[in-house]
Amino acid sequence: MSILKIARMGHPLLLARADEVDDATAPEIQTLIDAMTETITDANGVGLAAPQVHVPLRLFVFHVPVSRAENGKALPMQAVINPLITPVEEAGKALGWEGCLSIPGLRAAVPRWNRVRLSGQNEQGQAFEETLSGFAARVVQHETDHLNGVLYPMRMEDFRLFGYNEELDRYGQELL
Ligand code: NI
């Protein structure tokens, strides 16, 4: 069991570009993926990028739980190594609520592409490419941003749609 300590906003690693993973199948990468999976499960999050656990490498883990799945498309917990995101621009952007384990207690409405092509390697080191929509597309954009030193507040366009979870639960949902 290893729950990793999560870096919070203000830590310089969260503002740095992470390095490519040379060998996705290396034992230390597998150990890192296992620990990140344990950490995100413990924190009840949907995505976690390596820089958030103080490792400046281009990989993240994510899932789409049934409760957040659109059209019944839940996705199991999976690792994405050296991800590349290409927006499907004709599908446009939408605002949606996001939180981040590195910015605890807060959430904001952030514009993201509705549809993206995601390529990279899985944890077996195999190259893949898939097209993701809606919440899944949002999660992988948020996580890939972490690998480039970008946090969701840097993507915001309307700071009125930024607040503490407790207050937004009470007052804020009608803003969207
Ligand atoms: Ni985050």
Side-chain angles (χ1 to χ4, degrees), residues 108-166:
V110 182
R112 298 285 184 187
W113 296 106
N114 283 313
R115 203 166 166 79
V116 297
R117 269 186 282 280
L118 170 68
S119 60
Q121 289 162 273
N122 64 20
E123 64 183 280
Q124 283 79 43
Q126 295 156 337
F128 74 90
E129 182 174 337
E130 61 185 324
T131 301
L132 297 172
S133 301
F135 184 70
R138 174 172 298 279
V139 174
V140 300
Q141 287 171 84
H142 176 119
E143 298 311 324
T144 302
D145 268 355
H146 274 302
L147 309 182
N148 295 320
V150 175
L151 298 169
Y152 75 73
M154 301 173 184
R155 296 286 189 193
M156 290 186 62
E157 290 169 357
D158 184 348
F159 282 86
R160 294 175 303 173
L161 304 181
F162 191 18
Y164 289 95
N165 289 324
E166 281 176 17

Side-chain angles (χ1 to χ4, degrees), residues 20-139:
E20 302 287 326
V21 175
D22 289 332
D23 179 4
T25 63
E28 59 269 28
I29 297 297
Q30 300 295 310
T31 302
L32 174 62
I33 290 169
D34 289 347
M36 286 173 63
T37 300
E38 222 171 295
T39 303
I40 189 182
T41 303
D42 175 69
N44 208 15
V46 291
L48 181 67
Q52 291 182 276
V53 292
H54 308 87
V55 178
L57 289 175
R58 303 187 77 75
L59 80 91
F60 63 79
V61 296
F62 85 106
H63 72 139
V64 175
V66 177
S67 60
R68 304 303 301 269
E70 289 147 20
N71 311 318
K73 289 188 74 176
L75 294 174
M77 190 70 76
Q78 56 198 284
V80 184
I81 297 153
N82 299 328
L84 191 68
I85 280 187
T86 312
V88 178
E89 294 194 10
E90 55 271 29
K93 285 186 175 184
L95 274 182
W97 292 104
E98 286 181 29
C100 181
L101 295 174
S102 295
I103 312 173
L106 292 159
R107 69 171 179 263
V110 182
R112 298 285 184 187
W113 296 106
N114 283 313
R115 203 166 166 79
V116 297
R117 269 186 282 280
L118 170 68
S119 60
Q121 289 162 273
N122 64 20
E123 64 183 280
Q124 283 79 43
Q126 295 156 337
F128 74 90
E129 182 174 337
E130 61 185 324
T131 301
L132 297 172
S133 301
F135 184 70
R138 174 172 298 279
V139 174

